[in-house]
């Protein structure tokens, strides 16, 4: 025999009560005087004998009543030989959802507090000798082991909400794999969550019907939420004292409109911009924040909204960008320096313009330039090509213009074909005017206000047509005959700009046209567009920066500005660039610095993933409809108000004898009443 609630067996000590009542009979006798007892002696002996028998029978009945009542409360059940091994112990896995949505208010308390209390009640319903597993979204290696009930209670109090949210399809296989290693035990899963639509993907998991799963729903009292989900700039370049506009996209995940919501922008800890916005229900709005920076360097930025909702993790958005005090530009040529290029870059003090000869090129200096112009080369050596490719793959910008000759050297054509997927045609000496300019490309986005109608564009006397073979090439200039003469293609982390002409009178009047100035200036500025504004925590994205040089045993670190986080990232040199992986060491959002000793190399920003911003949830009724299928017969849906007694939590446990024990106790009570009333 086994008991669901063996603690009630202590009630058997109450059996002493009827014994004491019977041993100490406190009935007082009244003296009656008779003149002669001769006729009463036989009657008195017979009545006393019957009274003793009646009292002992009543004592036995009352003891049995106490015994069966206590036994009924203890909930006894019997196991056959087959079930003894299965029900000899329990292994209970309780998952407590500690994602950010659980920081909202439930019916009576914060959802995370309600989840902790419910998990505590579940554990109390089991025996102290049972084994427990406590899991959260962290899914750390430490959690995947069985612990005692006392240790379970200690770890339960240590659970805090965090930025990690795992889908059900990822959590369940880990539990099933762990349970496969547990033998001779009754295994049960309790999943306490608010069942956010974005994370509870029931249809994507492979169900094991031998495991009993209890889904316990924690309903929200308020599901309104505003979130900043992204940020971007429309300006292709960042310069000192330039008017910039940062756009923050605010999404309304509510069924109501919001009006006059403030948003503010801080850069390096100083307030830079603010705005007021309105956003309709279940929609988004891009809020412009206008500002300027009169200093160069890394701009650690934070945009903040005042969200009236209860969930606040997505109210702040961090991003980093850089403004350089100067831009290094290098022109590499064979013999004759291009006077037009020199004139362009000498018009602004931000440019540090240098010239080098192709035959005496200093390869070790290439990484310091933001733009390298390979100006009208007659041919290219293998070593030069290798160094230029390495420079571009690490994030540099390379511009190539065609030589002033009618036949292109094979080395130039092979370089563009093999590395960039571009074919350069034979020279065409027919005069043609530029008809198409890609005004949507960052190079020209702020150059033209509207249509090119009425704009006098350059005339080309001769050109080399450019055709793409990889599908990565973006056309920037196209002639009337549809030949492309200027475009850009990515190469690893850098960009290669290819011109089928050159800023030279030999090719036409492009060298004297106003269009030449923004073309070459913006090619230098767009170097900084390759840097990513922000990253998401837990996404294991590659962190790239253009200014890392590995020398000796130097150790790079990522340090927090808004917090005390300091980590050593994994460093992997790949294809001439250095890639950093933070390996989930960063768990707090904010602005960070990449440092090498005392030198700050770059800035990087991390934000919580907006996976949980959408505050839509499955209700208990939704869940019941979802699991109302034969393949989900092992899944039970529960509400908090149902309670967590062991008899309820183990609906498939062996049949108990409780109802028969209660029935026997009632029969004994009726028997006692009958004896007292009718046995005289």
């Amino acid at each position: 025999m086994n008991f669901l609630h063996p603690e009630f067996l202590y009630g058997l000590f109450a059996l002493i009560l009827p014994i004491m009542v019977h041993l100490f009979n406190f009935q007082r006798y009244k003296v009656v005087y008779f003149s002669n007892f001769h006729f009463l002696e036989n009657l008195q002996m017979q009545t006393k004998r019957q009274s003793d028998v009646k009292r002992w029978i009543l004592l036995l009945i009352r003891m049995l009543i106490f015994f069966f009542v206590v036994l009924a409360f203890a909930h006894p059940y019997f196991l056959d030989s087959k079930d003894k091994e299965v029900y000899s112990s329990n292994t209970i896995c309780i998952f407590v959802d500690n994602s950010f949505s659980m920081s909202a208010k439930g019916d009576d308390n914060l959802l995370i507090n309600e989840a902790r209390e419910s998990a505590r009640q579940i554990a109390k319903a089991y025996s102290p000798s049972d084994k427990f597993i406590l899991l959260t979204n962290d899914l750390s290696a430490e959690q995947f082991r069985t612990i005692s009930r006392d240790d379970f209670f200690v770890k339960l109090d240590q659970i805090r909400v965090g930025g990690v949210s795992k889908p059900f399809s990822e959590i369940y296989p880990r539990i099933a794999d762990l349970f496969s290693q547990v033998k001779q035990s009754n295994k049960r899963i309790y999943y306490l969550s608010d069942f956010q639509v974005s994370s509870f993907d029931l249809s994507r998991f492979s169900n094991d019907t031998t495991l009993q799963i209890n889904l316990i729903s924690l309903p929200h009292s308020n599901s309104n939420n505003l979130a900043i989900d992204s940020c971007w700039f429309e300006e292709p370049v960042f310069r000192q004292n330039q008017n910039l506009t940062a756009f923050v996209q605010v999404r309304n995940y509510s069924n109501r409109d919001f009006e006059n919501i403030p948003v503010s922008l801080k850069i390096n800890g100083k307030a830079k911009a603010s705005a007021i916005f309105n956003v309709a229900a279940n929609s988004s709005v891009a809020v412009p924040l206008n500002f300027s920076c009169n200093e160069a360097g890394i701009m650690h930025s934070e945009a903040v909204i005042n969200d009236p909702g209860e969930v606040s993790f997505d109210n702040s958005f961090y991003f980093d960008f850089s403004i350089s005090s100067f831009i290094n530009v290098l022109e590499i040529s064979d013999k004759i320096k291009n006077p037009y290029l020199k004139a362009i870059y000498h018009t602004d003090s931000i440019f540090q313009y240098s010239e080098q000869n192709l035959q005496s090129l200093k390869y070790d200096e290439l990484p310091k330039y933001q733009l390298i112009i390979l100006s009208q080369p007659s041919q290219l050596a293998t070593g030069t090509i290798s160094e230029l490719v390495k420079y571009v793959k690490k994030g540099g910008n390379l511009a190539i213009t065609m030589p002033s000759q009618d036949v292109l050297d094979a080395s130039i054509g092979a370089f563009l074909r093999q590395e960039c997927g571009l074919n350069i045609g034979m020279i065409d000496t027919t005069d043609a005017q530029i008809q198409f300019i890609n005004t949507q490309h960052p190079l020209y986005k702020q150059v033209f206000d509207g249509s090119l109608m009425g704009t006098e564009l350059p005339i080309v006397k001769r050109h080399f047509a450019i055709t793409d073979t990889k599908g990565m090439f973006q056309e920037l200039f196209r002639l009337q005959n549809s030949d492309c003469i200027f475009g850009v293609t990515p190469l690893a982390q850098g960009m290669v700009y290819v011109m089928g002409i050159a800023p030279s009178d030999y090719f036409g009047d492009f060298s004297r046209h106003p269009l030449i100035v923004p073309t070459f200036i913006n090619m230098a500025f767009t170097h900084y567009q390759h840097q990513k504004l922000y990253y998401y925590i837990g996404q294991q994205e590659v962190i790239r920066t253009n200014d890392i040089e590995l020398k000796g045993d130097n150790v790079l670190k990522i340090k927090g500005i808004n917090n005390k986080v300091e980590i050593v990232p994994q460093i992997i040199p790949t294809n001439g660039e250095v890639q950093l992986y933070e390996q989930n060491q960063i768990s707090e959002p904010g602005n960070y610095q990449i440092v090498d000793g005392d030198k700050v190399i770059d800035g990087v920003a991390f934000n919580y993933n907006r996976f949980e911003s959408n505050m839509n949830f499955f209700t208990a009724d939704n869940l019941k409809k979802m699991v109302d299928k034969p393949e989900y017969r092992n899944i039970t849906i529960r509400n908090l108000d149902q309670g967590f007694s062991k008899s309820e939590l183990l609906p498939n446990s062996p049949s108990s004898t409780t109802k028969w024990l209660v029935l026997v106790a009632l029969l004994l009570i009726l028997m006692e009443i009958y004896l007292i009333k009718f046995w005289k």
Side-chain angles (χ1 to χ4, degrees), residues 460-503:
V460 175
K461 293 181 178 180
R462 50 177 53 82
H463 68 275
F464 293 90
I466 306 169
T467 55
D468 178 28
T469 63
K470 290 186 177 180
M472 303 291 291
F473 186 68
Q474 286 184 278
E475 295 185 354
L476 299 178
F477 288 177
R478 202 164 53 232
L479 299 177
Q480 291 170 319
N481 62 359
S482 299
D483 282 354
C484 175
I485 61 168
F486 180 38
V488 59
T489 186
L491 180 58
Q493 299 307 306
M495 293 288 180
V496 179
Y497 294 90
V498 182
M499 277 190 170
I501 57 174

Side-chain angles (χ1 to χ4, degrees), residues 500-526:
I501 57 174
S504 165
D505 294 340
Y506 180 78
F507 286 95
D509 65 358
F510 174 68
S511 58
R512 301 178 183 274
H513 194 278
L515 189 61
I516 190 175
V517 177
T519 297
F520 281 91
I521 284 181
N522 287 343
M523 275 195 283
F525 278 122
T526 51

Side-chain angles (χ1 to χ4, degrees), residues 110-270:
L110 296 181
L111 291 178
I112 187 64
N113 293 337
E114 291 184 356
R116 277 196 290 255
E117 182 57 31
S118 299
R120 193 183 311 277
Q121 292 180 27
I122 293 171
K124 285 182 177 179
Y126 287 89
S127 170
S129 61
D130 288 331
K131 298 176 182 179
F132 294 85
I133 301 168
L134 178 60
L135 297 181
T136 64
N137 282 291
D138 302 324
L139 295 182
S140 62
E142 182 186 2
Q143 294 180 351
F144 284 88
R145 60 185 182 88
T146 57
I147 56 177
S148 67
R149 192 171 71 171
D150 291 339
D151 289 339
F152 175 88
F153 291 146
V154 172
K155 292 186 179 296
L156 189 63
D157 292 330
Q158 297 172 353
I159 294 177
R160 299 292 181 270
V161 293
V164 181
S165 177
K166 298 288 176 61
F168 181 72
S169 60
E170 181 178 343
I171 296 168
Y172 177 79
R174 302 282 297 273
I175 300 174
D177 182 62
L178 179 61
F179 271 172
S180 66
Q181 305 170 27
V182 178
K183 307 298 181 184
Q184 295 184 346
S185 179
N186 178 31
K187 307 163 191 175
R188 296 193 178 274
I189 301 171
Y190 297 92
Y191 192 93
L192 292 91
S193 174
D194 54 7
F195 294 99
Q196 199 164 11
V197 173
S198 58
S199 60
F200 187 68
D201 50 351
L202 185 67
S203 60
R204 296 184 59 187
F205 90 111
S206 179
N207 187 23
D208 180 359
T209 56
T210 63
L211 294 178
Q212 182 64 36
I213 304 173
N214 295 273
L215 304 181
I216 301 169
S217 176
L218 303 161
H220 276 251
S221 62
N222 181 6
S223 59
N224 294 329
N225 187 41
L226 295 179
I228 303 178
D229 67 4
S230 58
C231 172
W232 69 91
F233 287 90
E234 288 198 341
E235 290 82 7
V237 297
F238 304 135
R239 301 182 60 178
Q240 286 179 263
N241 300 314
Q242 177 188 5
N243 292 325
L244 299 173
T245 302
F247 287 88
V248 292
Q249 179 162 285
V250 181
R251 190 170 297 277
N252 183 1
Y253 292 100
S254 312
N255 293 321
R256 52 161 290 195
D257 299 342
F258 285 95
E259 297 181 351
N260 300 322
I261 303 297
V263 56
S264 60
L265 175 66
K266 286 184 179 180
I267 297 180
N268 292 337
K270 298 178 181 179

Side-chain angles (χ1 to χ4, degrees), residues 22-176:
H22 282 262
L23 289 179
F24 302 98
N25 193 338
F26 300 105
Q27 182 179 358
R28 294 186 178 183
Y29 296 96
K30 184 177 180 180
V31 179
V32 179
Y33 295 96
F34 289 89
S35 59
N36 192 338
F37 290 94
H38 177 71
F39 298 105
L40 297 176
E41 285 181 358
N42 293 333
L43 178 62
Q44 182 182 9
M45 291 179 64
Q46 181 182 5
T47 304
K48 184 179 179 182
R49 194 178 300 114
Q50 292 174 343
S51 178
D52 288 341
V53 173
K54 177 181 177 181
R55 284 195 303 122
W56 286 110
I57 291 176
L58 286 175
L59 173 61
L60 178 61
I61 291 174
R62 287 166 181 169
M63 290 181 67
L64 289 173
I65 291 173
F66 272 93
F67 175 76
F68 285 113
V69 169
V70 170
L71 213 59
F73 275 102
H75 202 94
Y77 60 89
F78 296 93
L79 297 174
D80 57 28
S81 58
K82 185 183 296 184
D83 291 332
K84 281 184 179 179
E85 292 185 354
V86 177
Y87 290 97
S88 58
S89 64
N90 295 298
T91 301
I92 303 96
C93 178
I94 301 179
F95 174 85
V96 176
D97 184 359
N98 65 330
S99 58
F100 275 128
S101 63
M102 296 289 286
S103 62
K105 195 174 185 303
D107 293 334
D108 302 314
N109 204 337
L110 296 181
L111 291 178
I112 187 64
N113 293 337
E114 291 184 356
R116 277 196 290 255
E117 182 57 31
S118 299
R120 193 183 311 277
Q121 292 180 27
I122 293 171
K124 285 182 177 179
Y126 287 89
S127 170
S129 61
D130 288 331
K131 298 176 182 179
F132 294 85
I133 301 168
L134 178 60
L135 297 181
T136 64
N137 282 291
D138 302 324
L139 295 182
S140 62
E142 182 186 2
Q143 294 180 351
F144 284 88
R145 60 185 182 88
T146 57
I147 56 177
S148 67
R149 192 171 71 171
D150 291 339
D151 289 339
F152 175 88
F153 291 146
V154 172
K155 292 186 179 296
L156 189 63
D157 292 330
Q158 297 172 353
I159 294 177
R160 299 292 181 270
V161 293
V164 181
S165 177
K166 298 288 176 61
F168 181 72
S169 60
E170 181 178 343
I171 296 168
Y172 177 79
R174 302 282 297 273
I175 300 174

Side-chain angles (χ1 to χ4, degrees), residues 485-624:
I485 61 168
F486 180 38
V488 59
T489 186
L491 180 58
Q493 299 307 306
M495 293 288 180
V496 179
Y497 294 90
V498 182
M499 277 190 170
I501 57 174
S504 165
D505 294 340
Y506 180 78
F507 286 95
D509 65 358
F510 174 68
S511 58
R512 301 178 183 274
H513 194 278
L515 189 61
I516 190 175
V517 177
T519 297
F520 281 91
I521 284 181
N522 287 343
M523 275 195 283
F525 278 122
T526 51
H527 167 82
Y528 294 100
Q529 285 189 292
H530 310 325
Q531 299 178 9
K532 196 166 183 177
L533 291 176
Y534 54 86
Y535 297 86
Y536 287 113
I537 294 173
Q539 295 297 301
Q540 284 290 21
E541 296 180 86
V542 180
I543 302 172
R544 295 183 170 95
T545 181
N546 301 323
D547 302 313
I548 296 180
E549 291 186 32
L550 296 179
K551 295 180 180 179
D553 297 327
N554 58 335
V555 178
L556 298 179
K557 295 182 179 180
I558 298 179
K559 291 185 176 181
I561 295 176
N562 316 100
N563 51 51
K564 297 181 180 180
V565 175
E566 180 176 325
I567 69 164
V568 177
Q570 182 185 14
I571 303 174
I572 301 179
T574 305
N575 296 326
E577 69 166 347
V578 176
Q579 298 180 350
L580 304 182
Y581 294 86
E582 50 91 17
Q583 295 183 309
N584 288 332
Q585 296 181 78
I586 293 178
S587 58
E588 296 184 35
N591 301 107
Y592 292 79
Q593 292 177 333
I594 301 174
V595 298
D596 182 2
D598 296 329
K599 179 185 176 183
V600 178
I601 297 175
D602 207 347
V604 61
F606 287 90
N607 294 287
Y608 286 128
N609 195 300
R610 269 41 184 176
F611 187 67
E612 283 198 274
S613 295
N614 191 348
M615 304 294 282
N616 288 329
F617 307 92
F618 291 118
T619 65
D621 291 337
N622 296 145
L623 295 173
K624 288 177 182 177

Side-chain angles (χ1 to χ4, degrees), residues 222-508:
N222 181 6
S223 59
N224 294 329
N225 187 41
L226 295 179
I228 303 178
D229 67 4
S230 58
C231 172
W232 69 91
F233 287 90
E234 288 198 341
E235 290 82 7
V237 297
F238 304 135
R239 301 182 60 178
Q240 286 179 263
N241 300 314
Q242 177 188 5
N243 292 325
L244 299 173
T245 302
F247 287 88
V248 292
Q249 179 162 285
V250 181
R251 190 170 297 277
N252 183 1
Y253 292 100
S254 312
N255 293 321
R256 52 161 290 195
D257 299 342
F258 285 95
E259 297 181 351
N260 300 322
I261 303 297
V263 56
S264 60
L265 175 66
K266 286 184 179 180
I267 297 180
N268 292 337
K270 298 178 181 179
K272 280 290 184 179
S274 62
I276 300 293
F277 67 91
N278 302 327
V279 57
N282 298 306
S283 64
S284 63
V285 60
V287 184
L289 295 169
N290 303 308
F291 65 97
S292 64
C293 295
N294 54 12
E295 297 178 355
I298 301 171
M299 302 293 132
H300 301 294
S301 312
E302 179 189 8
V304 181
I305 60 172
N306 187 6
D307 180 9
E310 296 176 354
V311 178
S312 60
F313 78 95
D314 48 14
N315 293 348
S316 297
F317 200 89
Y318 299 91
F319 59 97
D320 279 9
F321 64 98
S322 297
I323 296 178
S324 180
S325 55
F326 56 86
I327 297 175
N328 293 316
V329 178
L330 173 64
E331 180 193 355
I332 303 173
S333 59
D334 269 337
K335 303 172 184 177
I336 304 173
K337 306 295 186 292
N338 193 307
Y340 297 108
L341 296 180
K342 188 173 183 179
I344 290 171
Y345 291 114
H346 278 182
T347 59
D348 197 325
S349 60
I350 193 173
F351 297 108
Q352 302 290 317
Y353 180 77
S354 303
E355 300 171 338
Q356 288 191 32
N357 190 279
L358 188 59
Q359 280 71 38
S360 57
L361 187 59
K362 299 176 182 177
Y363 297 142
D364 59 329
E365 293 184 2
L366 297 184
K368 76 176 185 179
Y369 295 99
Q370 281 74 51
L371 173 65
I372 294 177
I373 303 173
L374 192 55
S375 179
Q376 300 182 268
S378 57
Q379 60 182 6
L380 292 174
T382 304
T384 302
I385 293 175
S386 176
E387 292 297 326
L388 289 175
V389 169
K390 185 188 301 182
Y391 160 79
V392 175
K393 286 184 175 181
K394 291 181 67 174
N397 281 356
L398 175 66
I400 303 175
T401 64
M402 294 296 108
S404 298
Q405 57 193 39
D406 291 347
V407 179
L408 191 68
D409 189 79
S411 61
I412 300 173
F415 163 56
L416 294 175
R417 183 171 56 255
Q418 294 170 10
E419 299 295 339
C420 305
L422 302 176
N423 287 328
I424 307 299
M426 303 293 290
I427 193 166
D428 187 339
T429 58
T430 306
D431 287 2
Q433 188 175 29
I434 294 175
Q435 186 180 48
F436 166 79
I437 296 178
N438 188 349
T439 57
Q440 296 304 308
H441 190 272
L443 215 60
Y444 299 109
K445 198 164 189 177
Q446 291 190 318
V447 175
F448 299 96
D449 293 333
S451 173
L452 295 177
M453 293 290 294
T455 304
E456 186 177 346
L457 298 176
I459 295 176
V460 175
K461 293 181 178 180
R462 50 177 53 82
H463 68 275
F464 293 90
I466 306 169
T467 55
D468 178 28
T469 63
K470 290 186 177 180
M472 303 291 291
F473 186 68
Q474 286 184 278
E475 295 185 354
L476 299 178
F477 288 177
R478 202 164 53 232
L479 299 177
Q480 291 170 319
N481 62 359
S482 299
D483 282 354
C484 175
I485 61 168
F486 180 38
V488 59
T489 186
L491 180 58
Q493 299 307 306
M495 293 288 180
V496 179
Y497 294 90
V498 182
M499 277 190 170
I501 57 174
S504 165
D505 294 340
Y506 180 78
F507 286 95

